[in-house]
Amino acid sequence: PTLLKSYSMENPYGLGIDDDMLFVCDGTAGLKIYDASDPLNLGSNLVKVYSDMTPYDVILLGSILVLISPEGLFQYDYSDINNIQLLSFITIAPKLD
């Protein structure tokens, strides 16, 4: 393998790709969505940032995004990429000592 390009992130974890849409879990910097049709120019193809979440990983199922964060497991409809909609969530209970 040969590195062609790298992009700096604040706190990257997991990612997922659906056709030309790249979803990057950037931890405390939120969920970043890129148009990945030109992977060597991702930096200028940022579509949307959702900074109100702390995502660690995503699973993409059709137009459903399953996201895990410290707060729990969330399902979003991303059929409108500029306005993803929360469908459901399961919160993570705090540890009992």
Side-chain angles (χ1 to χ4, degrees):
T2 301
L3 176 64
L4 297 177
K5 185 91 174 192
S6 67
Y7 298 96
S8 72
M9 297 281 161
E10 291 183 38
N11 196 14
Y13 288 92
L15 56 84
I17 192 159
D18 180 7
D19 291 326
D20 288 334
M21 300 308 298
L22 174 65
F23 298 77
V24 177
C25 299
D26 203 5
T28 55
L31 177 67
K32 296 180 179 177
I33 303 172
Y34 294 90
D35 177 347
S37 58
D38 183 4
L40 296 179
N41 289 306
L42 275 183
S44 60
N45 292 328
L46 180 63
V47 173
K48 189 81 174 170
V49 176
Y50 291 94
S51 57
D52 60 341
M53 55 181 74
T54 307
Y56 288 155
D57 205 2
V58 291
I59 298 170
L60 307 172
L61 304 165
S63 62
I64 304 299
L65 180 145
V66 179
L67 181 141
I68 187 72
S69 77
E71 297 79 29
L73 179 80
F74 298 82
Q75 289 187 78
Y76 293 92
D77 177 342
Y78 67 92
S79 55
D80 177 358
I81 204 69
N82 291 303
N83 188 29
I84 65 175
Q85 298 293 313
L86 179 64
L87 298 174
S88 67
F89 65 93
I90 300 171
T91 58
I92 297 175
K95 284 200 249 181
L96 301 175
D97 292 327

